[in-house]
Amino acid sequence: MRIVVDLNRCLGYAQCVPLAPDVLRLQGEEALAYDPNPDDSERQRVLRAAASCPVQAIIVELDPPADRTTK
Amino acid sequence: MTTASLVSDLVTSFKTTARLVIVGASLAGLRAAEALRDEGFTGSLTLIGDEVHEPYDRPPLSKQVLKGWVPAGNTKLPRMRAVDADWRLGVAAIGLDRANREVLLANGEKVPYDRLLIATGVRSRQWFNPDEAKLAGLFTLRTCDDAAKLQEALQAKPGRVLIIGAGFIGSEMASVCRDLGLEVTVAERSTAPLVGALGGVIGDIAAKMQRDAGVDLRTNVSVEALEGDAGGHVRRARLSDGTALDVDVVVASLGSIRNIEWLDGAQLAAGFWGVACDAGCRAFDINGVVTDTIFVAGDIARAPHVLYEYQFLSIEHVDAAVLAAQTAAHNMVNLETNRRPHLPLPQFWSAQFGVNIKGVGVCSFGDEIVFTQGSPEDHRFVAAYGRKGRIVAAVTFNHGKWLDYYAAMIERSAPFPPPPPGYDLPTNAEPMPARFRDPREPTGLPDVVLTGHDPTSRGAEFRPKRPKSGDPNS
């Protein structure tokens, strides 16, 4: 699956980190690092993490559009 | 039939039958394509990109990718919707024929357009000596292919890495090297890291962060020559202070060059700082006359901004690319009474040495700086930049939650120094010179630049058409 975190919007609340720790990590006090193309097995955790974000900075590709052919 | 309904019919018809072409298939190109479909455009849409890869996210390349956590090919951008476009990837545009409204491709094909979006972005500046540039072990970082090669070289545990240029990306790479336990030297021509973007006061703090983390930071020094071994691998760097360094990996982080060469002969206002356009993303021609069919978005765009004395602003930031793409898309399929301006407040972030650096506004437009919150000694603070008694920008180190407070003040040109928030005050809250360098002195190019008032006088140059291989007209 594919995600992108809007790091201008992200304020480092880190609510998402414990919900999907293999995809979203905090580096230092407030810098978020993420795996942009996590394994599909992370899907439920990523969706929960995205929903938990107080500023809704995590953009998730819910269903790949029909014209996107590559994995 | 009334004029209004006639015009409305024209717009509707255009949205179903027009041929729209986007040159540049990265972030701005993709988001523009999606926005065009969101606008109800159902006609023919073509995306042309010189990289074979589908659009991917670049900021992770200098961070989680180099660190080895995320593979270089795994930063592909999520799609917001289907775009149903004709993707022409791996084939560069090499010319623009405005008279016949055609984009010329490197494979000899011509792609006709009714409206064109220029989003060809920038590339990394290569090492200045072409013989030395062929050395193995010398890298630049812009594309995911660049990142894959550099990550592999860092994985091999080189004895010493030399990073030339301490802008944001150079500093982020130095941070990753230290995280990986690698010895790293950073050579910067200016007095400190990040000086071009943030000035000398903040640069001194960035320098301390690097040295505290174990980076061998050399300032006021340039790299004059690179020497290779018998196998053609870089092994030694000669610095302008007379010293020499034994190195195994060298990364030239020398800023970017706008990809304007394919527009030679098209007589657009294109030059060093990009292609000039109005606030509605419409390109100017070389005489400063706005065009009707050509739009510009992303790193290559240069547009006047109301907050900065209407000077043309060049921005190499992710959010500016996305917002300009959406504005350009909207304006491409609407007539003048429905057009929108693209007037972003520049925003950026950088993660390095465990510190989250965020900023808003154009820092280098200011000449004074004041710490307003936190503690510079602990790398947790907010600083505001001022010019003529008005706040023009702010930067935070591990204090990002406060950025919107300052953004709102910048948007209304509030007084400088700004009123203190009432607690968390720094020990020194007096304004001081921000210490930006004289623009004539050599330093890294900042990624936001004010480039003057005229679409054509500053940076734009007359670029006659030159014969090119593969160009059927030559």
Side-chain angles (χ1 to χ4, degrees):
Chain A
M1 67 183 303
R2 299 183 181 187
I3 67 167
V4 66
V5 183
D6 181 343
L7 291 178
N8 284 308
R9 187 177 283 190
C10 170
L11 296 179
Y13 287 105
Q15 305 283 308
C16 59
V17 172
L19 293 169
D22 292 335
V23 178
L24 299 142
R25 298 177 186 174
L26 210 55
Q27 300 198 316
E29 288 178 36
E30 66 169 42
L32 188 79
Y34 60 96
D35 179 352
N37 297 168
D39 191 83
D40 284 338
S41 63
E42 294 285 346
R43 186 179 172 83
Q44 279 309 314
R45 282 184 282 275
V46 169
L47 289 175
R48 278 191 205 108
S52 80
C53 176
V55 293
Q56 293 292 289
I58 305 173
I59 300 161
V60 181
E61 184 183 80
L62 288 176
D63 297 303
D67 65 336
R68 172 162 94 60
T69 50
T70 48
K71 184 168 182 294
Chain B
M1 192 175 240
T2 64
T3 304
S5 66
L6 187 65
V7 167
S8 168
D9 281 354
L10 277 172
V11 170
T12 307
S13 150
F14 184 84
K15 282 185 177 180
T16 52
T17 60
R19 299 161 303 174
L20 303 188
V21 173
I22 300 171
V23 183
S26 190
L27 178 66
L30 172 64
R31 294 299 181 237
E34 291 168 345
L36 282 168
R37 295 304 189 200
D38 278 343
E39 292 280 343
F41 175 69
T42 56
S44 135
L45 179 59
T46 305
L47 274 122
I48 298 163
D50 63 343
E51 286 187 73
V52 295
H53 310 288
E54 64 169 302
Y56 58 89
D57 203 19
R58 294 184 199 272
L61 298 180
S62 57
K63 308 176 187 79
Q64 49 267 55
V65 170
L66 274 198
K67 212 164 169 178
W69 173 25
V70 173
N74 279 20
T75 76
K76 291 186 282 286
L77 283 166
R79 304 286 179 84
M80 298 298 108
R81 56 162 297 141
V83 294
D84 188 24
D86 179 16
W87 292 83
R88 312 295 297 271
L89 298 180
V91 53
I94 59 162
L96 173 60
D97 179 350
R98 286 174 59 202
N100 292 307
R101 292 191 181 177
E102 286 173 335
V103 176
L104 312 179
L105 302 186
N107 63 8
E109 283 181 65
K110 298 175 179 180
V111 181
Y113 66 85
D114 296 307
R115 295 266 192 284
L116 172 71
L117 179 63
I118 295 172
T120 42
V122 303
R123 63 183 182 274
S124 54
R125 186 178 300 277
Q126 300 297 304
W127 185 243
F128 64 90
N129 181 318
D131 290 328
E132 295 172 10
K134 292 178 194 143
L135 290 169
L138 171 62
F139 301 87
T140 58
L141 181 58
R142 173 75 191 170
T143 66
C144 68
D145 292 340
D146 295 340
K149 287 180 218 156
L150 179 54
Q151 196 273 329
E152 193 181 351
L154 297 183
Q155 198 71 36
K157 300 279 173 206
R160 178 166 292 276
V161 179
L162 169 63
I163 293 167
I164 307 172
F168 283 113
I169 295 173
S171 300
E172 287 171 2
M173 291 190 287
S175 173
V176 169
C177 287
R178 292 307 298 146
D179 287 345
L180 295 172
L182 300 172
E183 296 298 321
V184 57
T185 297
V186 172
E188 165 59 41
R189 289 196 295 185
S190 187
T191 53
L194 312 183
V195 165
L198 302 179
V201 173
I202 301 298
D204 289 347
I205 296 168
K208 185 168 183 303
M209 278 165 41
Q210 295 210 4
R211 293 195 168 112
D212 288 352
V215 173
D216 171 32
L217 173 66
R218 316 271 184 106
T219 54
N220 298 305
V221 73
S222 55
V223 177
E224 297 190 323
L226 300 172
E227 297 168 6
D229 59 19
H233 193 290
V234 66
R235 294 298 174 202
R236 185 167 271 252
R238 296 203 173 277
L239 276 53
S240 58
D241 61 2
T243 58
L245 278 173
D246 291 331
V247 295
D248 300 308
V249 167
V250 177
V251 191
S253 186
L254 306 171
S256 49
I257 297 177
R258 272 113 185 125
N259 292 319
I260 56 165
E261 292 77 3
W262 70 283
L263 298 169
D264 284 0
Q267 308 222 352
L268 294 176
F272 183 85
W273 293 115
V275 181
C277 59
D278 71 2
C281 305
R282 296 182 299 173
F284 285 108
D285 77 6
I286 191 68
N287 297 311
V289 179
V290 77
T291 60
D292 296 325
T293 55
I294 303 174
F295 294 72
V296 196
D299 291 351
I300 196 173
R302 173 177 170 260
H305 201 299
V306 58
L307 276 181
Y308 301 101
E309 299 174 341
Y310 292 96
Q311 286 196 61
F312 281 77
L313 189 58
S314 281
I315 310 179
E316 292 178 58
H317 291 164
V318 162
D319 67 319
V322 173
L323 296 171
Q326 291 164 347
T327 305
H330 175 86
N331 291 345
M332 285 169 86
V333 293
N334 280 283
L335 290 172
E336 68 179 56
T337 50
N338 264 330
R339 287 201 170 129
R340 296 199 306 236
H342 166 60
L343 296 171
L345 196 57
Q347 291 198 53
F348 64 88
W349 79 89
S350 172
Q352 47 183 281
F353 305 104
V355 174
N356 195 32
I357 302 176
K358 298 185 83 169
V360 61
V362 179
C363 301
S364 59
F365 188 58
D367 46 23
E368 284 187 288
I369 190 170
V370 62
F371 290 100
T372 54
Q373 290 173 255
S375 159
E377 296 74 29
D378 299 331
H379 311 146
R380 297 167 48 86
F381 63 86
V382 185
Y385 293 82
R387 175 188 169 94
K388 295 181 180 169
R390 300 282 156 186
I391 178 172
V392 297
V395 64
T396 64
F397 277 43
N398 277 350
H399 249 45
K401 292 181 183 68
W402 280 95
L403 209 60
D404 283 349
Y405 171 74
Y406 293 88
M409 284 196 281
I410 296 162
E411 277 178 330
R412 59 176 196 270
S413 288
F416 177 89
Y423 67 99
D424 189 27
L425 296 180
T427 46
N428 177 8
E430 289 298 313
M432 61 186 103
R435 290 196 276 126
F436 283 99
R437 307 286 287 183
D438 183 316
R440 290 163 296 188
E441 289 179 31
T443 181
L445 295 173
D447 49 8
V448 180
V449 183
L450 287 159
T451 63
H453 287 97
D454 192 297
T456 62
S457 70
R458 179 95 179 265
E461 55 197 309
F462 182 69
R463 299 178 63 93
K465 193 170 177 61
R466 295 181 193 117
K468 285 178 193 132
S469 60
D471 181 346
N473 292 344
S474 64

